[in-house]
Amino acid sequence: MPLSLARTGEKNVISRVGGKEETRKFLENLGFVVGGEVTVVSEAAGNIIVNVKESRVAIGKDMANKIIVAG
């Protein structure tokens, strides 16, 4: 399922990062890599705040839809 549908507070494992090459590189640089753990902290106005690699990152819903996770 896309990260945008993940429940708040639940740990998920990234199974795929989609999008164009530059989008994938951008997300990789933020820490969104296959096999990495990600937890949704909060969601407000279409933006999602997540914990990834021991830091908090805010991304838009369009970016979150490109990150596929398994619960």
Side-chain angles (χ1 to χ4, degrees):
M1 73 177 155
L3 182 59
S4 58
L5 297 179
R7 287 192 190 145
T8 302
E10 201 172 85
K11 282 192 179 182
N12 295 283
V13 177
I14 299 169
S15 56
R16 187 169 63 87
V17 179
K20 295 179 181 176
E21 181 66 26
E22 64 184 48
T23 303
R24 287 196 311 267
K25 289 272 189 211
F26 174 74
L27 291 170
E28 267 181 34
N29 288 336
L30 290 176
F32 295 96
V33 293
V34 173
E37 279 190 355
V38 62
T39 306
V40 176
V41 176
S42 67
E43 186 177 351
N47 296 318
I48 298 171
I49 299 174
V50 297
N51 271 344
V52 63
K53 296 230 178 185
E54 299 178 17
S55 31
R56 286 191 176 186
V57 179
I59 57 174
K61 198 165 197 154
D62 58 331
M63 285 286 188
N65 284 331
K66 292 176 178 25
I67 301 166
I68 307 302
V69 297

